[in-house]
Amino acid sequence: MFELYLTDYQYFALFEGGRGMADVGNAVGLYRSIGSHDEQRYVGHGVWTPSDGLSKTYERNSYDDYREVSAAELGRLRRLADDRGPVKHERRDGFEGGGFAVFRHEADMVDLRSAYAVVDELLPEHRYALPLAPFEQDQLASIVALLAAHRRARATATRLVGDRGRRAALPSHTQRRCDHTKSTPGRHGR
């Protein structure tokens, strides 16, 4: 969502053997690049992974070719990749076995702590995900679990306050203090 405002990516369709380049439906992949050393492949559902697919077309034994795509072609290629789903075996270099951080909205992907789950394999319902390094997976899974527990505790406290009043949400030692300060008929001459 914010990519267009943060960087000027160029988007490309890769064609195996350079065949059928007039129709992006024949492309074997959607790629984006800022420069010659930073290219990524779209694997579906908002997931981009580092790649060297475009660079390999310059190798002597490669017959593959690519071309820049229009905004309409970009949308079509994204939908095609989303329908196929993320390619599960593709990961960022050095990020094998780290799993994925899963988000509810594309805009949430700018902050890993906005993830609602950490999974080993992507499912079709995981529309927005980022690959993780193994050291990130355990730490982020702990953070996600802690934030989920905090949300549940807040929801429970809110429900208790709504059901039994403010006193029910107070810690027990505070309730005792409140009980001692209540005035009862006959005490203190009242």
Side-chain angles (χ1 to χ4, degrees), residues 23 34 85 138 161 165 181:
D23 180 10
I34 296 174
D138 293 337
V161 168
T181 59

Side-chain angles (χ1 to χ4, degrees), residues 1-2 103-112 114 128:
M1 178 173 177
F2 297 107
F103 303 88
R104 285 187 174 81
H105 307 284
E106 187 174 16
D108 294 339
M109 294 171 63
V110 298
D111 181 6
L112 284 177
S114 297
Y128 304 105

Side-chain angles (χ1 to χ4, degrees), residues 180-190:
H180 294 299
T181 59
K182 286 183 183 177
S183 62
T184 55
R187 279 182 87 177
H188 307 293
R190 291 186 192 171

Side-chain angles (χ1 to χ4, degrees), residues 10-16 20-21 23-32 54 57 64-70 73-74 77:
Q10 290 180 289
Y11 294 87
F12 302 92
L14 179 68
F15 297 88
E16 189 174 356
M21 291 180 62
D23 180 10
V24 292
N26 296 324
V28 294
L30 170 62
Y31 294 80
R32 69 181 182 186
L54 298 179
T57 62
D64 296 344
D65 203 358
Y66 64 92
R67 69 170 175 86
E68 193 165 359
V69 295
S70 67
E73 291 172 325
L74 171 63
L77 284 168

Side-chain angles (χ1 to χ4, degrees), residues 114-168:
S114 297
Y116 74 88
V118 175
V119 298
D120 290 326
E121 295 293 330
L122 291 175
L123 300 174
E125 61 266 19
H126 296 150
R127 291 186 42 100
Y128 304 105
L130 290 174
L132 298 170
F135 70 89
E136 291 175 311
Q137 183 179 18
D138 293 337
Q139 184 178 15
L140 185 59
S142 298
I143 291 170
V144 167
L146 179 65
L147 292 174
H150 187 255
R151 281 192 301 274
R152 284 191 304 273
R154 243 188 349 226
T156 301
T158 301
R159 192 172 52 249
L160 288 173
V161 168
D163 292 346
R164 291 186 252 154
R166 183 178 174 340
R167 188 173 153 207

